Amino acid sequence: MRRALGVLAALVLLGGVTYALIPDDKDPKKLVTVTGLIGSEKRAFFESPEVKAELAKQGLEVHTDSTGSWTMSEQAKSSSTLDFAFPASTAPAREIQRNWGLQDSPLVPFYSPLVVVAHAPVAQILLDNKLASNESGVWTFKMDEYVNDLKTTHKWQDLTKTEGHGELSGPIFVTTTDPESSSSGALYIALLSFVLNNHLVVSDDAGVDSARSVLHQATALQGGQKSSSDEPFRDFLAGVGNPLIFGYESQVAAMAVQGQPTGDMVVMYPDTTAYSDHTIIARTENGRKLADLLQNDETLRAQEVRFGFRPQASSGAFADQVKNIKQPVFAQDLNAAKVRQAPVPSLDNLLKLTKAAKESPK
């Protein structure tokens, strides 16, 4: 009898232990899975353990696939399971919105100006030849002079003080991504068209036709173009390819803020540039929760700065992080650095411009 009671007590105890191992559905916060498409420039942000932890704290587990911002529209159109899409600019965001039949205004949690990146010796040659300036340590790239060089197919050999730089040969051009698949490439075309159109946004077919030959020249000089912004940036870091690349300030800022070596990289802000407004289109309630957190959660905003972005809701956060970084120098205040923002053409005109850039002039 005593043995039977002992066995029964053990079973009760075991049952208690077993019960303790079964989670109480009412206690732990269940994670809701949120699925979306993002531009490759945000992949590291969403894969960060700190970002994942904060999202989990708020009840979300975010799964993403990265793709070019312009190809994102077609993928979003054919999928019925996505909660959100997060391209790198407003133009593809508007296209996705149109495909999804949404009317509400999407959020822009953060942005990044487009910049030209070079190594210090190349930047100095541009400075010596009045293609760049360096006031108060902030480098700017002179877009009007650059466009004139594109028109005349100006070569590196035509510049002064290039002796000993055998790697600088052939026409002067900036490497970009493919404008038909990537946001940064499309914004480059928008920027060139603005300068070519007497610093006015292209708003009709006449403006497209007027810019056509130079846009094609700027694209054809590059040969094959990559579909995502991280590819030409990786090539640049590896010392491969063209000495000038067009990309996001955030790509370099993320390295600097996180203490990664940046070598002799110089960030040059085009004196007229385009801002990459990272725009999230929420298709579901869970997508809207994610968008709100990205814009308003202080922990996530701090992580956005850590990955080189400028949060919309915290304008001074980026400046605070980069003010003590000596190399490369970042513009803490874009207005003070005299960096002007070019308006982006309407979606239809931008598509015409990118098509003109890829086609041979008639």
Short mmCIF file of all heavy atoms in Angstrom, two decimals, residues 75-140:
data_model
loop_
_atom_site.label_atom_id
_atom_site.label_comp_id
_atom_site.label_asym_id
_atom_site.label_seq_id
_atom_site.Cartn_x
_atom_site.Cartn_y
_atom_site.Cartn_z
N GLN A 75 6.45 41.38 -58.40
CA GLN A 75 6.34 40.32 -57.40
C GLN A 75 5.17 40.58 -56.46
O GLN A 75 4.44 39.66 -56.10
CB GLN A 75 7.64 40.20 -56.61
CG GLN A 75 8.82 39.70 -57.43
CD GLN A 75 10.05 39.48 -56.57
OE1 GLN A 75 9.97 38.91 -55.49
NE2 GLN A 75 11.19 39.93 -57.05
N ALA A 76 5.03 41.84 -56.05
CA ALA A 76 3.93 42.18 -55.14
C ALA A 76 2.58 41.97 -55.81
O ALA A 76 1.61 41.52 -55.19
CB ALA A 76 4.08 43.64 -54.69
N LYS A 77 2.51 42.27 -57.09
CA LYS A 77 1.26 42.14 -57.84
C LYS A 77 0.80 40.69 -57.93
O LYS A 77 -0.41 40.40 -57.88
CB LYS A 77 1.45 42.72 -59.25
CG LYS A 77 0.18 42.80 -60.08
CD LYS A 77 0.48 43.47 -61.40
CE LYS A 77 -0.78 43.62 -62.25
NZ LYS A 77 -0.47 44.27 -63.55
N SER A 78 1.76 39.77 -58.02
CA SER A 78 1.41 38.37 -58.22
C SER A 78 1.25 37.59 -56.92
O SER A 78 0.92 36.41 -56.94
CB SER A 78 2.49 37.69 -59.09
OG SER A 78 3.74 37.72 -58.44
N SER A 79 1.50 38.24 -55.78
CA SER A 79 1.41 37.54 -54.50
C SER A 79 0.19 38.01 -53.71
O SER A 79 -0.10 39.20 -53.64
CB SER A 79 2.67 37.78 -53.67
OG SER A 79 2.54 37.22 -52.39
N SER A 80 -0.50 37.05 -53.12
CA SER A 80 -1.67 37.39 -52.30
C SER A 80 -1.40 37.21 -50.81
O SER A 80 -2.30 37.36 -49.99
CB SER A 80 -2.86 36.50 -52.70
OG SER A 80 -2.53 35.12 -52.53
N THR A 81 -0.15 36.90 -50.45
CA THR A 81 0.15 36.59 -49.05
C THR A 81 1.02 37.64 -48.37
O THR A 81 1.29 37.53 -47.17
CB THR A 81 0.89 35.23 -48.95
OG1 THR A 81 2.11 35.31 -49.70
CG2 THR A 81 0.01 34.11 -49.51
N LEU A 82 1.43 38.67 -49.09
CA LEU A 82 2.31 39.67 -48.50
C LEU A 82 1.57 40.63 -47.59
O LEU A 82 0.46 41.06 -47.90
CB LEU A 82 3.00 40.47 -49.61
CG LEU A 82 3.99 39.71 -50.51
CD1 LEU A 82 4.42 40.60 -51.67
CD2 LEU A 82 5.20 39.24 -49.72
N ASP A 83 2.21 40.97 -46.48
CA ASP A 83 1.65 41.97 -45.57
C ASP A 83 2.14 43.38 -45.90
O ASP A 83 1.48 44.36 -45.59
CB ASP A 83 2.05 41.65 -44.12
CG ASP A 83 1.43 40.36 -43.63
OD1 ASP A 83 0.21 40.33 -43.44
OD2 ASP A 83 2.18 39.37 -43.45
N PHE A 84 3.32 43.46 -46.52
CA PHE A 84 3.87 44.79 -46.82
C PHE A 84 4.89 44.68 -47.95
O PHE A 84 5.39 43.59 -48.28
CB PHE A 84 4.53 45.40 -45.58
CG PHE A 84 5.81 44.74 -45.16
CD1 PHE A 84 7.04 45.24 -45.58
CD2 PHE A 84 5.81 43.61 -44.35
CE1 PHE A 84 8.23 44.63 -45.20
CE2 PHE A 84 6.99 42.99 -43.96
CZ PHE A 84 8.21 43.51 -44.38
N ALA A 85 5.20 45.82 -48.53
CA ALA A 85 6.32 45.96 -49.46
C ALA A 85 7.06 47.23 -49.06
O ALA A 85 6.45 48.22 -48.66
CB ALA A 85 5.83 46.05 -50.90
N PHE A 86 8.39 47.21 -49.18
CA PHE A 86 9.21 48.29 -48.62
C PHE A 86 10.32 48.65 -49.60
O PHE A 86 11.50 48.37 -49.35
CB PHE A 86 9.78 47.82 -47.28
CG PHE A 86 10.19 48.92 -46.33
CD1 PHE A 86 10.69 48.59 -45.07
CD2 PHE A 86 10.12 50.26 -46.67
CE1 PHE A 86 11.08 49.57 -44.18
CE2 PHE A 86 10.51 51.26 -45.79
CZ PHE A 86 10.99 50.91 -44.55
N PRO A 87 9.98 49.30 -50.72
CA PRO A 87 11.01 49.72 -51.68
C PRO A 87 11.79 50.92 -51.15
O PRO A 87 11.45 51.49 -50.11
CB PRO A 87 10.21 50.07 -52.93
CG PRO A 87 8.89 50.51 -52.40
CD PRO A 87 8.63 49.67 -51.17
N ALA A 88 12.80 51.33 -51.92
CA ALA A 88 13.70 52.38 -51.47
C ALA A 88 13.29 53.77 -51.92
O ALA A 88 14.01 54.73 -51.63
CB ALA A 88 15.12 52.08 -51.94
N SER A 89 12.17 53.92 -52.60
CA SER A 89 11.73 55.25 -53.01
C SER A 89 10.23 55.26 -53.26
O SER A 89 9.57 54.20 -53.31
CB SER A 89 12.48 55.72 -54.27
OG SER A 89 12.22 54.88 -55.36
N THR A 90 9.68 56.46 -53.44
CA THR A 90 8.23 56.59 -53.53
C THR A 90 7.66 56.15 -54.87
O THR A 90 6.51 55.71 -54.92
CB THR A 90 7.82 58.06 -53.28
OG1 THR A 90 8.53 58.91 -54.19
CG2 THR A 90 8.15 58.48 -51.86
N ALA A 91 8.45 56.25 -55.95
CA ALA A 91 7.91 55.90 -57.27
C ALA A 91 7.49 54.44 -57.36
O ALA A 91 6.34 54.15 -57.72
CB ALA A 91 8.90 56.27 -58.36
N PRO A 92 8.36 53.47 -57.05
CA PRO A 92 7.88 52.08 -57.06
C PRO A 92 6.83 51.81 -56.00
O PRO A 92 5.97 50.95 -56.17
CB PRO A 92 9.15 51.26 -56.81
CG PRO A 92 10.12 52.20 -56.22
CD PRO A 92 9.81 53.54 -56.78
N ALA A 93 6.88 52.57 -54.90
CA ALA A 93 5.84 52.42 -53.87
C ALA A 93 4.47 52.79 -54.43
O ALA A 93 3.47 52.11 -54.16
CB ALA A 93 6.17 53.28 -52.66
N ARG A 94 4.43 53.87 -55.23
CA ARG A 94 3.15 54.26 -55.83
C ARG A 94 2.64 53.20 -56.80
O ARG A 94 1.44 52.95 -56.89
CB ARG A 94 3.31 55.60 -56.55
CG ARG A 94 3.45 56.80 -55.62
CD ARG A 94 3.22 58.11 -56.36
NE ARG A 94 4.24 58.37 -57.37
CZ ARG A 94 5.34 59.08 -57.16
NH1 ARG A 94 5.57 59.58 -55.96
NH2 ARG A 94 6.22 59.28 -58.12
N GLU A 95 3.56 52.58 -57.53
CA GLU A 95 3.18 51.51 -58.45
C GLU A 95 2.59 50.32 -57.69
O GLU A 95 1.57 49.74 -58.09
CB GLU A 95 4.40 51.08 -59.26
CG GLU A 95 4.16 49.93 -60.21
CD GLU A 95 3.37 50.30 -61.45
OE1 GLU A 95 3.00 51.49 -61.60
OE2 GLU A 95 3.10 49.40 -62.25
N ILE A 96 3.22 49.93 -56.59
CA ILE A 96 2.71 48.83 -55.77
C ILE A 96 1.36 49.18 -55.18
O ILE A 96 0.43 48.36 -55.16
CB ILE A 96 3.72 48.48 -54.66
CG1 ILE A 96 5.02 47.95 -55.27
CG2 ILE A 96 3.14 47.46 -53.68
CD1 ILE A 96 6.18 47.85 -54.30
N GLN A 97 1.23 50.42 -54.72
CA GLN A 97 -0.04 50.88 -54.18
C GLN A 97 -1.15 50.77 -55.21
O GLN A 97 -2.26 50.33 -54.92
CB GLN A 97 0.11 52.34 -53.74
CG GLN A 97 -0.45 52.60 -52.37
CD GLN A 97 -0.38 54.08 -52.01
OE1 GLN A 97 0.29 54.87 -52.65
NE2 GLN A 97 -1.08 54.43 -50.97
N ARG A 98 -0.82 51.17 -56.42
CA ARG A 98 -1.80 51.12 -57.50
C ARG A 98 -2.19 49.67 -57.81
O ARG A 98 -3.37 49.37 -57.98
CB ARG A 98 -1.21 51.79 -58.75
CG ARG A 98 -2.18 51.96 -59.90
CD ARG A 98 -1.68 53.02 -60.86
NE ARG A 98 -0.47 52.63 -61.56
CZ ARG A 98 0.18 53.44 -62.41
NH1 ARG A 98 -0.26 54.68 -62.63
NH2 ARG A 98 1.27 53.03 -63.02
N ASN A 99 -1.21 48.78 -57.81
CA ASN A 99 -1.50 47.36 -58.09
C ASN A 99 -2.34 46.72 -56.98
O ASN A 99 -3.14 45.82 -57.25
CB ASN A 99 -0.20 46.58 -58.27
CG ASN A 99 0.51 46.92 -59.57
OD1 ASN A 99 -0.12 47.41 -60.50
ND2 ASN A 99 1.81 46.66 -59.63
N TRP A 100 -2.12 47.16 -55.75
CA TRP A 100 -2.86 46.60 -54.63
C TRP A 100 -4.20 47.31 -54.38
O TRP A 100 -4.97 46.89 -53.51
CB TRP A 100 -2.01 46.66 -53.35
CG TRP A 100 -0.99 45.57 -53.27
CD1 TRP A 100 -0.87 44.49 -54.10
CD2 TRP A 100 0.04 45.43 -52.27
NE1 TRP A 100 0.17 43.70 -53.70
CE2 TRP A 100 0.76 44.24 -52.59
CE3 TRP A 100 0.43 46.17 -51.18
CZ2 TRP A 100 1.84 43.79 -51.82
CZ3 TRP A 100 1.52 45.74 -50.42
CH2 TRP A 100 2.20 44.56 -50.74
N GLY A 101 -4.45 48.38 -55.11
CA GLY A 101 -5.71 49.09 -54.94
C GLY A 101 -5.84 49.81 -53.61
O GLY A 101 -6.94 49.93 -53.07
N LEU A 102 -4.71 50.32 -53.08
CA LEU A 102 -4.73 51.00 -51.79
C LEU A 102 -4.78 52.51 -51.99
O LEU A 102 -4.20 53.05 -52.93
CB LEU A 102 -3.47 50.64 -50.98
CG LEU A 102 -3.28 49.15 -50.68
CD1 LEU A 102 -1.95 48.91 -49.98
CD2 LEU A 102 -4.43 48.62 -49.83
N GLN A 103 -5.45 53.19 -51.07
CA GLN A 103 -5.62 54.64 -51.18
C GLN A 103 -4.93 55.41 -50.06
O GLN A 103 -4.66 56.60 -50.23
CB GLN A 103 -7.13 54.99 -51.17
CG GLN A 103 -7.93 54.35 -52.30
CD GLN A 103 -7.48 54.84 -53.67
OE1 GLN A 103 -7.10 55.99 -53.84
NE2 GLN A 103 -7.52 53.95 -54.66
N ASP A 104 -4.66 54.77 -48.92
CA ASP A 104 -4.09 55.51 -47.79
C ASP A 104 -2.65 55.90 -48.08
O ASP A 104 -1.95 55.27 -48.88
CB ASP A 104 -4.17 54.68 -46.50
CG ASP A 104 -3.53 53.31 -46.65
OD1 ASP A 104 -3.52 52.79 -47.77
OD2 ASP A 104 -3.03 52.77 -45.64
N SER A 105 -2.20 56.93 -47.41
CA SER A 105 -0.83 57.43 -47.62
C SER A 105 0.17 56.51 -46.92
O SER A 105 0.07 56.29 -45.71
CB SER A 105 -0.69 58.84 -47.06
OG SER A 105 -1.55 59.73 -47.75
N PRO A 106 1.14 55.97 -47.65
CA PRO A 106 2.14 55.11 -47.00
C PRO A 106 3.09 55.91 -46.14
O PRO A 106 3.26 57.12 -46.33
CB PRO A 106 2.87 54.47 -48.19
CG PRO A 106 2.71 55.45 -49.30
CD PRO A 106 1.39 56.12 -49.09
N LEU A 107 3.71 55.24 -45.18
CA LEU A 107 4.66 55.90 -44.29
C LEU A 107 6.08 55.84 -44.87
O LEU A 107 6.44 54.91 -45.59
CB LEU A 107 4.64 55.23 -42.91
CG LEU A 107 3.36 55.37 -42.09
CD1 LEU A 107 3.51 54.64 -40.75
CD2 LEU A 107 3.01 56.83 -41.86
N VAL A 108 6.87 56.86 -44.54
CA VAL A 108 8.29 56.90 -44.90
C VAL A 108 9.06 56.96 -43.58
O VAL A 108 9.36 58.05 -43.08
CB VAL A 108 8.61 58.11 -45.79
CG1 VAL A 108 10.09 58.12 -46.16
CG2 VAL A 108 7.74 58.12 -47.04
N PRO A 109 9.39 55.82 -42.98
CA PRO A 109 10.04 55.83 -41.66
C PRO A 109 11.43 56.48 -41.69
O PRO A 109 11.82 57.12 -40.71
CB PRO A 109 10.16 54.35 -41.29
CG PRO A 109 9.16 53.65 -42.18
CD PRO A 109 9.11 54.44 -43.44
N PHE A 110 12.16 56.30 -42.79
CA PHE A 110 13.51 56.87 -42.85
C PHE A 110 13.89 57.11 -44.31
O PHE A 110 13.21 56.65 -45.23
CB PHE A 110 14.54 55.97 -42.16
CG PHE A 110 14.44 54.51 -42.50
CD1 PHE A 110 14.99 54.01 -43.69
CD2 PHE A 110 13.82 53.61 -41.64
CE1 PHE A 110 14.91 52.67 -44.01
CE2 PHE A 110 13.74 52.25 -41.96
CZ PHE A 110 14.29 51.78 -43.13
N TYR A 111 14.98 57.84 -44.48
CA TYR A 111 15.43 58.17 -45.84
C TYR A 111 16.95 58.19 -45.87
O TYR A 111 17.63 58.13 -44.84
CB TYR A 111 14.87 59.51 -46.30
CG TYR A 111 15.40 60.72 -45.57
CD1 TYR A 111 16.43 61.49 -46.09
CD2 TYR A 111 14.87 61.09 -44.33
CE1 TYR A 111 16.92 62.60 -45.41
CE2 TYR A 111 15.35 62.18 -43.63
CZ TYR A 111 16.38 62.94 -44.18
OH TYR A 111 16.87 64.02 -43.49
N SER A 112 17.49 58.28 -47.09
CA SER A 112 18.93 58.37 -47.28
C SER A 112 19.20 59.14 -48.56
O SER A 112 18.63 58.82 -49.60
CB SER A 112 19.55 56.97 -47.36
OG SER A 112 20.97 57.05 -47.46
N PRO A 113 20.04 60.18 -48.51
CA PRO A 113 20.41 60.85 -49.75
C PRO A 113 21.29 59.95 -50.62
O PRO A 113 22.05 59.12 -50.10
CB PRO A 113 21.16 62.10 -49.28
CG PRO A 113 21.65 61.76 -47.92
CD PRO A 113 20.67 60.81 -47.33
N LEU A 114 21.18 60.12 -51.94
CA LEU A 114 22.05 59.41 -52.87
C LEU A 114 23.37 60.16 -52.98
O LEU A 114 23.37 61.39 -53.07
CB LEU A 114 21.40 59.29 -54.24
CG LEU A 114 20.45 58.10 -54.48
CD1 LEU A 114 21.17 56.78 -54.33
CD2 LEU A 114 19.25 58.14 -53.54
N VAL A 115 24.47 59.45 -52.96
CA VAL A 115 25.80 60.06 -52.94
C VAL A 115 26.69 59.39 -53.97
O VAL A 115 26.40 58.30 -54.48
CB VAL A 115 26.45 59.94 -51.54
CG1 VAL A 115 25.63 60.67 -50.50
CG2 VAL A 115 26.63 58.47 -51.14
N VAL A 116 27.80 60.05 -54.28
CA VAL A 116 28.86 59.47 -55.10
C VAL A 116 30.00 59.08 -54.16
O VAL A 116 30.43 59.90 -53.34
CB VAL A 116 29.35 60.46 -56.18
CG1 VAL A 116 30.54 59.87 -56.94
CG2 VAL A 116 28.22 60.81 -57.14
N VAL A 117 30.46 57.85 -54.27
CA VAL A 117 31.52 57.35 -53.39
C VAL A 117 32.79 57.14 -54.21
O VAL A 117 32.73 56.60 -55.34
CB VAL A 117 31.10 56.03 -52.71
CG1 VAL A 117 32.19 55.56 -51.74
CG2 VAL A 117 29.78 56.21 -51.97
N ALA A 118 33.91 57.59 -53.67
CA ALA A 118 35.20 57.45 -54.35
C ALA A 118 36.28 57.23 -53.29
O ALA A 118 36.05 57.44 -52.09
CB ALA A 118 35.52 58.70 -55.17
N HIS A 119 37.44 56.80 -53.73
CA HIS A 119 38.60 56.76 -52.84
C HIS A 119 39.24 58.14 -52.84
O HIS A 119 39.11 58.92 -53.79
CB HIS A 119 39.59 55.69 -53.30
CG HIS A 119 39.07 54.30 -53.14
ND1 HIS A 119 38.85 53.72 -51.91
CD2 HIS A 119 38.69 53.38 -54.07
CE1 HIS A 119 38.38 52.50 -52.07
NE2 HIS A 119 38.26 52.26 -53.37
N ALA A 120 39.96 58.45 -51.77
CA ALA A 120 40.49 59.80 -51.55
C ALA A 120 41.33 60.33 -52.71
O ALA A 120 41.16 61.49 -53.10
CB ALA A 120 41.28 59.84 -50.24
N PRO A 121 42.25 59.56 -53.31
CA PRO A 121 43.04 60.12 -54.42
C PRO A 121 42.17 60.53 -55.61
O PRO A 121 42.45 61.55 -56.26
CB PRO A 121 43.98 58.97 -54.79
CG PRO A 121 44.07 58.12 -53.56
CD PRO A 121 42.72 58.20 -52.95
N VAL A 122 41.12 59.77 -55.89
CA VAL A 122 40.23 60.11 -57.01
C VAL A 122 39.42 61.36 -56.67
O VAL A 122 39.24 62.25 -57.51
CB VAL A 122 39.30 58.93 -57.34
CG1 VAL A 122 38.30 59.30 -58.43
CG2 VAL A 122 40.12 57.71 -57.77
N ALA A 123 38.95 61.44 -55.43
CA ALA A 123 38.21 62.62 -55.01
C ALA A 123 39.10 63.87 -55.12
O ALA A 123 38.63 64.94 -55.53
CB ALA A 123 37.73 62.45 -53.57
N GLN A 124 40.38 63.74 -54.79
CA GLN A 124 41.28 64.89 -54.87
C GLN A 124 41.46 65.32 -56.33
O GLN A 124 41.52 66.53 -56.62
CB GLN A 124 42.64 64.53 -54.27
CG GLN A 124 43.63 65.67 -54.21
CD GLN A 124 43.14 66.84 -53.37
OE1 GLN A 124 42.67 66.64 -52.24
NE2 GLN A 124 43.24 68.07 -53.90
N ILE A 125 41.54 64.38 -57.26
CA ILE A 125 41.65 64.72 -58.68
C ILE A 125 40.39 65.47 -59.14
O ILE A 125 40.47 66.46 -59.87
CB ILE A 125 41.89 63.45 -59.53
CG1 ILE A 125 43.30 62.94 -59.28
CG2 ILE A 125 41.66 63.73 -61.01
CD1 ILE A 125 43.58 61.59 -59.88
N LEU A 126 39.23 65.02 -58.70
CA LEU A 126 37.99 65.72 -59.04
C LEU A 126 37.98 67.13 -58.46
O LEU A 126 37.54 68.08 -59.12
CB LEU A 126 36.78 64.93 -58.52
CG LEU A 126 36.53 63.55 -59.14
CD1 LEU A 126 35.35 62.87 -58.47
CD2 LEU A 126 36.29 63.66 -60.64
N LEU A 127 38.49 67.26 -57.24
CA LEU A 127 38.59 68.59 -56.62
C LEU A 127 39.53 69.49 -57.41
O LEU A 127 39.21 70.66 -57.69
CB LEU A 127 39.08 68.43 -55.18
CG LEU A 127 39.29 69.72 -54.38
CD1 LEU A 127 37.97 70.44 -54.14
CD2 LEU A 127 39.96 69.41 -53.03
N ASP A 128 40.68 68.96 -57.80
CA ASP A 128 41.65 69.75 -58.56
C ASP A 128 41.12 70.20 -59.91
O ASP A 128 41.57 71.21 -60.46
CB ASP A 128 42.93 68.94 -58.76
CG ASP A 128 43.69 68.70 -57.47
OD1 ASP A 128 43.50 69.48 -56.51
OD2 ASP A 128 44.46 67.72 -57.41
N ASN A 129 40.16 69.45 -60.45
CA ASN A 129 39.59 69.77 -61.76
C ASN A 129 38.20 70.37 -61.68
O ASN A 129 37.47 70.40 -62.67
CB ASN A 129 39.58 68.50 -62.62
CG ASN A 129 40.96 68.09 -63.09
OD1 ASN A 129 41.42 68.54 -64.12
ND2 ASN A 129 41.63 67.24 -62.30
N LYS A 130 37.85 70.86 -60.48
CA LYS A 130 36.59 71.58 -60.26
C LYS A 130 35.34 70.74 -60.56
O LYS A 130 34.28 71.27 -60.91
CB LYS A 130 36.56 72.88 -61.08
CG LYS A 130 37.73 73.81 -60.77
CD LYS A 130 37.58 75.15 -61.45
CE LYS A 130 38.82 76.03 -61.26
NZ LYS A 130 39.23 76.15 -59.85
N LEU A 131 35.47 69.42 -60.41
CA LEU A 131 34.31 68.54 -60.50
C LEU A 131 33.76 68.22 -59.11
O LEU A 131 32.70 67.60 -58.99
CB LEU A 131 34.69 67.24 -61.21
CG LEU A 131 34.75 67.30 -62.73
CD1 LEU A 131 35.48 66.10 -63.30
CD2 LEU A 131 33.35 67.41 -63.32
N ALA A 132 34.48 68.64 -58.10
CA ALA A 132 34.07 68.44 -56.72
C ALA A 132 34.53 69.63 -55.89
O ALA A 132 35.38 70.42 -56.32
CB ALA A 132 34.65 67.14 -56.16
N SER A 133 33.94 69.78 -54.72
CA SER A 133 34.38 70.80 -53.77
C SER A 133 34.43 70.19 -52.39
O SER A 133 33.84 69.13 -52.14
CB SER A 133 33.45 72.02 -53.80
OG SER A 133 32.16 71.66 -53.35
N ASN A 134 35.13 70.87 -51.50
CA ASN A 134 35.27 70.36 -50.14
C ASN A 134 35.26 71.54 -49.18
O ASN A 134 36.30 72.12 -48.87
CB ASN A 134 36.57 69.56 -50.01
CG ASN A 134 36.74 68.97 -48.62
OD1 ASN A 134 35.84 69.02 -47.80
ND2 ASN A 134 37.91 68.42 -48.35
N GLU A 135 34.07 71.90 -48.75
CA GLU A 135 33.91 73.02 -47.83
C GLU A 135 33.60 72.50 -46.43
O GLU A 135 32.67 71.71 -46.26
CB GLU A 135 32.78 73.95 -48.30
CG GLU A 135 33.06 74.60 -49.65
CD GLU A 135 31.93 75.53 -50.07
OE1 GLU A 135 31.06 75.83 -49.23
OE2 GLU A 135 31.92 75.95 -51.24
N SER A 136 34.39 72.93 -45.47
CA SER A 136 34.21 72.53 -44.07
C SER A 136 34.26 71.01 -43.92
O SER A 136 33.61 70.44 -43.04
CB SER A 136 32.88 73.06 -43.52
OG SER A 136 32.84 74.47 -43.65
N GLY A 137 35.02 70.37 -44.81
CA GLY A 137 35.20 68.93 -44.71
C GLY A 137 34.14 68.10 -45.40
O GLY A 137 34.32 66.89 -45.58
N VAL A 138 33.01 68.70 -45.79
CA VAL A 138 31.94 67.97 -46.48
C VAL A 138 32.17 68.07 -47.98
O VAL A 138 32.24 69.16 -48.54
CB VAL A 138 30.54 68.53 -46.11
CG1 VAL A 138 29.46 67.82 -46.92
CG2 VAL A 138 30.28 68.36 -44.62
N TRP A 139 32.30 66.93 -48.62
CA TRP A 139 32.55 66.89 -50.06
C TRP A 139 31.25 66.99 -50.84
O TRP A 139 30.24 66.38 -50.46
CB TRP A 139 33.24 65.58 -50.44
CG TRP A 139 34.68 65.48 -50.05
CD1 TRP A 139 35.17 65.16 -48.81
CD2 TRP A 139 35.81 65.68 -50.89
NE1 TRP A 139 36.54 65.17 -48.83
CE2 TRP A 139 36.96 65.47 -50.10
CE3 TRP A 139 35.97 66.02 -52.24
CZ2 TRP A 139 38.25 65.58 -50.61
CZ3 TRP A 139 37.25 66.14 -52.75
CH2 TRP A 139 38.37 65.92 -51.95
N THR A 140 31.27 67.75 -51.94
CA THR A 140 30.14 67.79 -52.86
C THR A 140 30.63 67.49 -54.27
O THR A 140 31.78 67.76 -54.63
CB THR A 140 29.41 69.15 -52.84
OG1 THR A 140 30.35 70.19 -53.11
CG2 THR A 140 28.73 69.39 -51.51
#
